Amino acid sequence: QVQLVESGGGSVQAGGSLRLFCAASGNTYRTYCMGWFRQAPGKEREGVAIIRTNGGDTYYADSVKGRFTISQDNAKTMLYLQMNGLKPEDTAMYYCAARWCARGARGPPSSSALEYDVWGQGTQVTVSS
């Protein structure tokens, strides 16, 4: 099964930028939906940005549209999240996650954390005002 390791988190001022990295290893031949989720203290884990490795269809939470961009390398072993215009409300633990997706599936992938069965350890993002 694929293993995921996140990195790139840190502490920045409001309006700043960060780029998160998710390295995938193990069984990377299967078609996956992969993406970023976040969870702040006292809040539910929410889907932030998800991408289908087969086709590239994406999902973005309304709160991050226009500010965050998800992408992957050609080998599909590295997932990125470019975060611009960061706000204090973006402060959270960010997790990389994956689940199997059908090769022929199209449209925005699911943003429900309950449907993802492989998770990284998380990387903390803190945005101060």
Side-chain angles (χ1 to χ4, degrees):
Q1 192 172 25
V2 64
Q3 294 179 323
L4 306 173
V5 179
E6 307 98 326
S7 62
S11 181
V12 299
Q13 296 290 315
S17 298
L18 283 174
R19 195 178 197 193
L20 305 185
F21 305 81
C22 175
S25 61
N27 182 12
T28 61
Y29 300 101
R30 188 169 297 177
T31 299
Y32 289 98
C33 289
M34 298 182 64
W36 296 93
F37 295 75
R38 67 186 181 187
Q39 187 166 25
K43 296 184 178 180
E44 296 181 351
R45 185 170 299 187
E46 64 171 340
V48 177
I50 324 288
I51 189 170
R52 295 187 186 274
T53 60
N54 178 26
D57 289 344
T58 57
Y59 162 88
Y60 288 98
D62 288 341
S63 60
V64 307
K65 286 181 178 178
R67 300 189 297 120
F68 291 8
T69 303
I70 188 170
S71 61
Q72 59 189 43
D73 65 2
N74 292 333
K76 298 182 174 62
T77 57
M78 188 70 72
L79 187 73
Y80 309 94
L81 184 66
Q82 180 66 46
M83 304 184 294
N84 298 326
L86 284 163
K87 305 175 181 179
E89 304 89 83
D90 296 318
T91 296
M93 183 72 73
Y94 283 71
Y95 298 91
C96 181
R99 72 178 186 93
W100 179 86
C101 285
R103 291 183 178 272
R106 295 292 184 271
S110 173
S111 61
S112 174
L114 296 176
E115 297 186 23
Y116 291 76
D117 56 358
V118 181
W119 294 85
Q121 296 297 313
T123 185
Q124 178 68 36
V125 172
T126 302
V127 184
S128 59
S129 60

